[in-house]
Amino acid sequence: MPQKDTAGTVLATMRKLGVTGLPRNYEIFYEALTGSNPALGLAVIALGNHPTQHQLDDISRRFFAQHHGQGVVEQAREVVARELEEVAALLRSERTQVEKYGRILNETSDGLSSRSSISRELLHKIVGAVATATSSTLERGKLVESALSDKSAELEAVKCKLEEYKRLADTDPLTQILNRRAFDKEIARIYSNRKDILFNALILADIDNFKKINDRFGHPVGDRIIRTIADIFQSSVRRDVFVARTGGEEFAMIVEGSSEDTTVEIAERLRKLVEQTRFVDPATGADYGPVTVSMGICMANEADTADDLYIKADRALYRSKVGGRNRVTRHSSLPNHSSNKWLLYRKD
């Protein structure tokens, strides 16, 4: 479906369901109607013919977490602050109870010390008073323990919610692999320790002629191709290789513990897998191929910073593009490339 027709269909559907024309609502129905996010589509269908704004906002939070990060964090902060204040109040109350119990014991001890003799009746009263105070203190302690256990469970739930938000915030909603936000953090980590610079490499991959694919077959087909290539990259490398979608049709992989030759072999294998994959619509049999990718590689020790590493890998990727596409280029093979080989001999 052409993009103009899609926009019209989205707006018509929203009007039919009585959905307010907010940008966040448009985003939901666009993703649902183009089929680029099947899980979101099913969630929208489950709402029925009269979805409320509250239900739509809930879907938006679930599927577009990156847009709601501040709200999630602020809500978690409020819960944590409230729970900590209640815990502090419980501990203050417990301290008061223990201090009261201590006073009873001290007064009893002082009373006993001041008497030369104690009758059985008086001793019975003293034992009864101490027993009552002890029982009350122990019972209070059990209540505080139970309350603290509940607070701990509530705080653990907040922790799990924040961890889930972090996962969603680092996940690309279209492909379900890591996104640019996660990539920026990971590539910066390489240069946080000079020892990590050796035997680390960046691979950038870009789908060839992707605009032509979108123009010819429409964005939903383009999205399916992006998802398929993401699956190929994610499932065809070692588990310790970092794979992310960094933009439109561009992907990045950070390879650790491998030489440049091994990194090139990884990239070549992925390039061939994409080249050999048939991109066919199972319903109509329409063939969207051939689809290929171009790649650029740069070793971390050839760059000064994370930004420099990205720029140099991108330069190698550009050379693959202008050299005919569907190929892998090393930055080290480019004329006048700069290499920081001094890092190999630099002492701590």
Side-chain angles (χ1 to χ4, degrees):
M1 184 187 300
Q3 190 171 14
K4 184 176 179 181
D5 292 345
T6 301
T9 302
V10 169
L11 293 173
T13 302
M14 290 171 63
R15 283 196 296 269
K16 182 178 179 181
L17 297 177
V19 174
T20 306
L22 301 174
R24 64 180 185 272
N25 291 341
Y26 180 88
E27 181 179 31
I28 292 171
F29 280 88
Y30 179 86
E31 292 284 336
L33 292 172
T34 58
S36 59
N37 193 329
L40 185 150
L42 292 174
V44 170
I45 291 173
L47 297 182
N49 294 326
H50 300 287
T52 66
Q53 188 58 52
H54 177 75
Q55 290 173 319
L56 292 170
D57 287 343
D58 180 62
I59 285 180
S60 184
R61 281 189 292 272
R62 286 161 53 197
F63 291 93
F64 305 102
Q66 64 273 23
H67 302 338
H68 302 273
Q70 187 59 39
V72 172
V73 173
E74 183 63 23
Q75 183 183 40
R77 188 196 67 78
E78 292 174 359
V79 171
V80 170
R82 184 179 69 248
E83 297 299 333
L84 289 177
E85 177 56 35
E86 292 180 4
V87 167
L90 283 170
L91 293 177
R92 288 194 296 270
S93 174
E94 177 67 0
R95 184 181 67 181
T96 300
Q97 183 69 21
V98 171
E99 289 174 347
K100 179 181 178 181
Y101 180 62
R103 286 196 300 272
I104 292 174
L105 293 180
N106 287 333
E107 290 170 1
T108 301
S109 177
D110 293 342
L112 290 173
S113 298
S114 65
R115 291 176 177 269
S116 56
S117 62
I118 304 174
S119 67
R120 177 175 296 183
E121 181 181 357
L122 177 58
L123 183 60
H124 182 74
K125 290 181 179 179
I126 291 172
V127 171
V130 172
T132 299
T134 301
S135 176
S136 176
T137 301
L138 290 175
E139 187 64 28
R140 175 67 184 177
K142 290 178 182 179
L143 292 174
V144 171
E145 180 183 5
S146 175
L148 289 175
S149 178
D150 291 342
K151 299 302 176 188
S152 177
E154 291 172 12
L155 290 173
E156 183 64 27
V158 172
K159 176 186 174 184
C160 291
K161 186 174 182 179
L162 286 174
E163 288 176 348
E164 176 63 9
Y165 159 68
K166 179 180 180 298
R167 185 190 69 79
L168 291 173
D170 285 344
T171 300
D172 174 52
L174 176 63
T175 62
Q176 296 304 302
I177 66 173
L178 294 167
N179 60 14
R180 182 60 186 252
R181 178 178 182 271
F183 168 74
D184 287 341
K185 291 187 292 185
E186 184 67 13
I187 195 172
R189 182 192 60 77
I190 295 176
Y191 291 88
S192 63
N193 186 333
R194 288 198 301 272
K195 293 179 180 178
D196 291 336
I197 297 174
L198 298 179
F199 300 109
N200 275 266
L202 173 62
I203 303 173
L204 292 184
D206 191 87
I207 303 174
D208 294 326
N209 298 311
F210 188 71
K211 183 178 185 304
K212 292 181 180 179
I213 294 173
N214 270 339
D215 291 344
R216 181 179 177 186
F217 301 110
H219 289 277
V221 171
D223 288 345
R224 286 199 292 273
I225 289 173
I226 288 174
R227 285 199 300 270
T228 300
I229 292 177
D231 290 341
I232 291 172
F233 287 167
Q234 186 73 73
S235 63
S236 305
V237 294
R238 304 188 315 256
R239 295 188 65 178
D240 62 338
V241 174
F242 181 95
V243 182
R245 180 187 177 206
T246 52
E249 64 271 25
E250 185 180 277
F251 298 85
M253 284 158 276
I254 297 175
V255 182
E256 296 186 48
S258 296
S259 65
E260 184 178 42
D261 287 342
T262 300
T263 303
V264 170
E265 290 174 5
I266 293 171
E268 280 289 357
R269 179 164 51 83
L270 295 174
R271 182 192 64 77
K272 289 177 182 178
L273 284 172
V274 173
E275 183 182 34
Q276 294 164 2
T277 298
R278 291 193 66 205
F279 292 84
V280 178
D281 187 326
T284 65
D287 192 336
Y288 304 128
V291 177
T292 61
V293 293
S294 296
M295 295 185 171
I297 292 174
C298 185
M299 300 300 292
N301 67 293
E302 295 180 28
D304 294 311
T305 64
D307 288 342
D308 191 31
L309 176 60
Y310 187 89
I311 289 170
K312 289 177 177 177
D314 191 56
R315 189 178 301 157
L317 170 60
Y318 176 75
R319 182 55 61 95
S320 290
K321 290 286 190 181
V322 299
R325 300 184 177 87
N326 191 25
R327 63 190 63 202
V328 176
T329 301
R330 315 175 187 222
H331 179 264
S332 62
S333 69
L334 301 182
N336 301 320
H337 84 279
S338 60
S339 175
N340 298 327
K341 297 302 184 183
W342 55 271
L343 286 168
L344 295 171
Y345 308 101
R346 189 171 179 179
K347 295 181 180 181
D348 292 336

